[in-house]
Amino acid sequence: MSSSGTTTARLLPGAPVAEQVLAEVAESVVALRAAGVTPALATVLVGDDDASAGYIRIKQRQAAELGFVSPHVHLPASASQADLHAVLADFNADKAVHGVLVQYPIPGHLDYDRALAELDPDKDVDGMHPVNMGRLALGLPGPLPCTPAGIEALLAFHGVPVAGREVVVLGRGATLGRPLAMLLAQKRPTANAAVTVVHTGVPDWPRYTRRAEILVAAAGVPGIIQPEHVRPGGVVVGGGVRYEGRRLLPDVDESCAEVAGAITPRVGGVGPTTVAMLFRNAVRAAQRASGLG
Ligand SMILES: NC(=O)c1ccc[n+]([C@@H]2O[C@H](COP(=O)([O-])OP(=O)(O)OC[C@H]3O[C@@H](n4cnc5c(N)ncnc54)[C@H](OP(=O)(O)O)[C@@H]3O)[C@@H](O)[C@H]2O)c1
């Protein structure tokens, strides 16, 4: 109970989940290296956006700490779509490269989705290639989209039962809501849920979110989830965020913690698990490519 007499939800931080996943990745890297395979995660940066350059540097540092090598290509902001495709074609052809990450966003004159489609789906560490979305829909093995996979791992790590429960996802976007719905409906102990997806086509969506045993916000609309949208004692996962400059504005209003039984923290919830899943995809790509998976 807080001093105001309201209950406060148990927090579901992402950092310990990420730590566990990354420890497993590091172990797999050691095993691969012992078998003579050096896992390689290539990175591609287009243009001179400071934030993007910073994100790439963080991922490269983390890759090095985990034992990956990360060949890097930096294209100028003036690069053409063909230039970008040529870089991806080179990495596709290079058997020593197991995963490729194209830092998003890329300059406005370039088409990210078209570039992604050029990438070898087996090297797509973001798990967003159309072939990998198809594999997810069919339940076939392949790289999983990082944020949905991170949310499944987060719930499992914190002992939140998902199987047989009612999950409501607010948002049907390609990065989060749609693939998450597919993932959590799969027949697997950490999934196996009754999943409902709501969006702008369902104006009375609070009717659904209020009955959710697990509510996942995936809209990218700051503060869209308020306490009255949450089932008392339910689990709330904040996936959607909007950035205003460097300021992070989450979908889930902080006051929801007074109604929920468990909730991801405002900062450090889903985000860290997303990055960990990228490295899990990368190491699995190296295992598959070398027949050591
Ligand atoms: N935490 C992380 O690491 C992480 C990683 C990736 C993405 N994200 C975040 O996840 C969010 C979703 O990304 P996305 O690319 O999957 O989605 P998106 O393409 O931005 O789509 C947003 C979805 O939310 C729905 N929506 C928006 N406003 C709504 C409203 N007022 N009422 C009901 N539904 C509403 C939209 O409905 P319609 O389809 O009807 O338009 C749409 O389905 C973004 O905020 C993104 O930043 C977070």
Side-chain angles (χ1 to χ4, degrees), residues 11-271:
L11 285 181
L12 307 172
V17 191
E19 251 168 56
Q20 188 185 64
V21 171
L22 292 174
E24 288 162 9
V25 169
E27 266 176 40
S28 302
V29 170
V30 169
L32 280 165
R33 281 182 169 264
V37 178
T38 305
L41 170 61
T43 54
V44 182
L45 175 66
V46 190
D48 303 308
D49 182 63
D50 280 347
S52 295
Y55 292 138
I56 279 278
R57 270 197 304 274
I58 291 168
K59 285 170 192 159
Q60 282 175 325
R61 201 179 312 135
Q62 203 162 6
E65 279 167 19
L66 290 165
F68 287 84
V69 293
S70 29
H72 178 63
V73 171
H74 184 183
L75 289 172
S78 58
S80 67
Q81 190 80 29
D83 294 335
L84 178 54
H85 291 188
V87 169
L88 298 179
D90 284 348
F91 282 143
N92 284 347
D94 188 343
K95 286 198 174 1
V97 167
H98 306 107
V100 182
L101 170 72
V102 181
Q103 182 62 45
Y104 185 85
I106 56 179
H109 67 283
L110 299 175
D111 183 333
Y112 188 84
D113 290 341
R114 261 182 67 208
L116 183 63
E118 292 293 313
L119 188 60
D120 177 344
D122 291 333
K123 298 189 180 187
D124 161 37
V125 290
D126 274 324
M128 294 298 301
H129 188 288
V131 166
N132 290 324
M133 285 295 189
R135 286 168 166 164
L136 171 61
L138 295 170
L140 298 173
L144 290 172
C146 295
T147 308
I151 290 175
E152 182 181 347
L154 181 128
L155 293 169
F157 179 92
H158 288 291
V160 174
V162 175
R165 298 180 92 198
E166 179 151 23
V167 176
V168 176
V169 183
L170 176 69
R172 57 180 160 190
T175 353
L176 188 45
R178 206 171 332 151
L180 179 68
M182 286 197 280
L183 197 64
L184 293 186
Q186 284 184 346
K187 206 167 189 169
R188 199 176 35 250
T190 53
N192 237 355
V195 185
T196 301
V197 182
V198 291
H199 37 73
T200 61
V202 185
D204 61 344
W205 56 259
R207 183 157 74 86
Y208 296 86
T209 60
R210 271 198 300 270
R211 69 172 202 218
E213 293 172 287
I214 300 170
L215 167 60
V216 184
V221 179
I224 191 170
I225 298 294
Q226 294 291 326
E228 64 269 27
H229 303 135
V230 173
R231 173 180 172 142
V235 175
V236 178
V237 176
V241 287
R242 185 184 293 165
Y243 282 93
E244 262 178 27
R246 297 230 159 170
R247 216 160 81 89
L248 178 144
L249 303 172
D251 281 5
V252 178
D253 192 89
E254 271 177 287
S255 57
C256 292
E258 291 165 15
V259 177
I263 192 166
T264 51
R266 186 178 180 283
V267 178
V270 171

